Amino acid sequence: MQFGIFTVGDVTPDPTTGRTPTEHERITAMVTIARKAEEVGLDVFATGEHHNEPFVPSSPTTLLGYIAGQTSTLLLSTATTLITTNDPVKIAEDYAMLQHLSGGRVDLMMGRGNTGPVYPWFGKDIRAGIPLAIENYALLHRLWREHVVDWSGKFRTPLQSFTSTPRPLDGVPPFVWHGSIRSPEIAEQAAYYGDGFFANHIFWPPSHTQKMVALYRERFAHYGHGDADQAIVGLGGQVFMRRNSQDAIAEFRPYFDNAPVYGHGPSLEDFTEQTPLTVGSPQQVIDRTLGFREYVGDYQRQLFLLDHAGLPLKTVLEQLDLLGEIVPVLRREFAARKPAHVPEAPVHASLLAARPQPEEVTQ
């Protein structure tokens, strides 16, 4: 099972000091966080994609390419690649280039994002969000698998005898997750292609995530990719830890209360009860995370959000140290529960090994 972290790259004032980091400080902090993630033994670092304040990760491939040069084992991913407003041709070429530069340590999470104004900024209509996601990914899927593509659709100019460059590393496209909070059409899309499905699992109650994952698993089996429990599932999550749970609650409360997304809303106690947010001791995080399996089944990737809401870099690095302590326990416990027929999350090496080989020519 893969464990890692994802960032949304928000530039948020620290409510305990009133200080707001500069964009430069926030960008360099994300690099430091990624390097620390590898140091403590995590598998994945993922970045979101935003084109509006107060967020800074507008160019995920630039950030991930820079991190690739400073790491050796970390799998580089996106917490959202905007399949709706990015040109699929540019996605195909940018992430194939990143594949080569990282030695195959890359995959993507396709999503529509959560910022409505981004659509007109890139010449798109938000009312066509789902059709854009479906058509653009259908083209991207072909661009990575067909050397010469002839294509026409509704949302971009036609392609005639087009070849995206560079070609995917070893002829193996990056593995794709389709991320969604609330759209069953995206779960259906992931199932159709036999791709992974990533449920954000932060803002909604477990019952909602359970329904979305169950739909994906059912349709994955329907399309003949394997049994329902062999579908490739990832979950988001959100934690804040201290050795003593009361210390964790007291320290995190001002950040929670003033967070850009859920601040000034439900209380910390209500939110932790109704969603998977876990604020407490390392053992509480272990117990809560192991409980996710009870309603989504065996799954392959768990990513945590740590660096948001104005938390200072020092605190985030301390959180990573604690996460590095509990991940070996989580690995062991999840592995002990997982049946042998449930696959691991695909990576470049496993996808390359599974690629059909040309039949040997015999004389």
Side-chain angles (χ1 to χ4, degrees):
M1 185 165 171
Q2 296 174 343
F3 291 91
I5 56 173
F6 70 99
T7 181
V8 295
D10 60 311
V11 181
T12 303
D14 183 334
T16 67
T17 66
R19 184 181 184 278
T20 303
T22 66
E23 290 182 329
H24 178 71
E25 288 172 332
R26 188 67 175 98
I27 291 167
T28 56
M30 288 190 290
V31 175
T32 301
I33 289 164
R35 294 172 61 185
K36 181 72 170 182
E38 180 173 276
E39 176 189 318
V40 302
L42 300 185
D43 305 302
V44 184
F45 173 83
T47 176
E49 178 186 346
H50 294 276
H51 299 275
N52 59 293
E53 293 180 333
F55 304 98
V56 292
S58 58
S59 180
T61 51
T62 304
L63 175 64
L64 295 178
Y66 186 78
I67 292 170
Q70 301 191 36
T71 56
S72 58
T73 62
L74 195 64
L75 182 60
L76 308 169
S77 189
T78 55
T80 301
T81 295
L82 296 176
I83 189 63
T84 47
T85 51
N86 281 309
D87 183 354
V89 172
K90 196 70 169 69
I91 295 176
E93 297 188 333
D94 283 353
Y95 285 92
M97 177 68 79
L98 180 59
Q99 237 196 340
H100 285 272
L101 292 173
S102 66
R105 293 184 290 127
V106 61
D107 61 29
L108 296 85
M109 188 192 307
M110 301 296 175
R112 292 181 294 138
N114 57 11
T115 307
V118 73
Y119 284 83
W121 294 342
F122 289 87
K124 307 299 180 183
D125 185 339
I126 192 172
R127 293 169 294 184
I130 293 292
L132 275 164
I134 292 171
E135 180 177 296
N136 283 354
Y137 184 65
L139 174 55
L140 175 62
H141 193 268
R142 288 186 58 192
L143 289 169
W144 274 337
R145 289 163 176 81
E146 300 175 27
H147 193 78
V148 178
V149 173
D150 293 303
W151 180 90
S152 63
K154 181 178 179 181
F155 298 109
R156 80 174 313 280
T157 53
L159 297 173
Q160 295 180 346
S161 300
F162 179 77
T163 299
S164 67
T165 59
R167 303 303 299 152
L169 177 64
D170 300 320
V172 177
F175 185 72
V176 169
W177 304 78
H178 299 259
S180 181
I181 297 176
R182 62 187 182 276
S183 302
E185 296 93 340
I186 302 303
E188 173 77 15
Q189 183 182 41
Y192 176 81
Y193 288 101
D195 294 339
F197 179 67
F198 190 91
N200 191 299
H201 201 223
I202 286 181
F203 304 121
W204 291 70
S207 59
H208 174 78
T209 300
Q210 181 181 33
K211 291 177 182 177
M212 291 287 286
V213 173
L215 170 63
Y216 161 66
R217 290 188 183 279
E218 175 189 336
R219 301 301 289 171
F220 181 93
H222 169 80
Y223 288 115
H225 300 298
D227 294 335
D229 63 352
Q230 294 177 303
I232 308 299
V233 174
L235 295 183
Q238 190 175 350
V239 298
F240 187 86
M241 291 175 280
R242 288 302 184 198
R243 300 292 179 189
N244 180 289
S245 61
Q246 293 306 310
D247 291 340
I249 293 169
E251 183 176 350
F252 187 64
R253 188 181 299 279
Y255 295 97
F256 175 88
D257 288 347
N258 294 281
V261 176
Y262 44 65
H264 310 288
S267 69
L268 176 58
E269 286 74 16
D270 286 345
F271 205 81
T272 52
E273 179 182 352
Q274 297 169 16
T275 78
L277 170 64
T278 307
V279 181
S281 68
Q283 188 60 52
Q284 287 175 305
V285 172
I286 291 171
D287 294 341
R288 189 82 178 277
T289 304
L290 290 173
F292 297 164
R293 180 180 177 274
E294 296 176 6
Y295 53 87
V296 302
D298 292 290
Y299 64 109
Q300 286 80 6
R301 174 176 285 187
Q302 175 66 58
L303 301 184
F304 295 103
L305 176 64
L306 300 179
D307 68 321
H308 69 117
L311 284 167
L313 177 60
K314 178 178 180 293
T315 301
V316 175
L317 297 179
E318 291 168 351
Q319 292 297 302
L320 280 165
D321 281 327
L322 291 168
L323 195 58
E325 292 180 18
I326 69 171
V327 159
V329 180
L330 291 170
R331 287 192 201 280
R332 183 175 64 249
E333 294 299 325
F334 274 113
R337 293 162 168 78
K338 184 175 76 70
H341 70 280
V342 174
E344 301 293 338
V347 294
H348 184 76
S350 64
L351 293 170
L352 180 60
R355 183 178 60 175
Q357 299 299 315
E359 294 184 11
E360 183 177 347
V361 178
T362 57
Q363 299 294 331

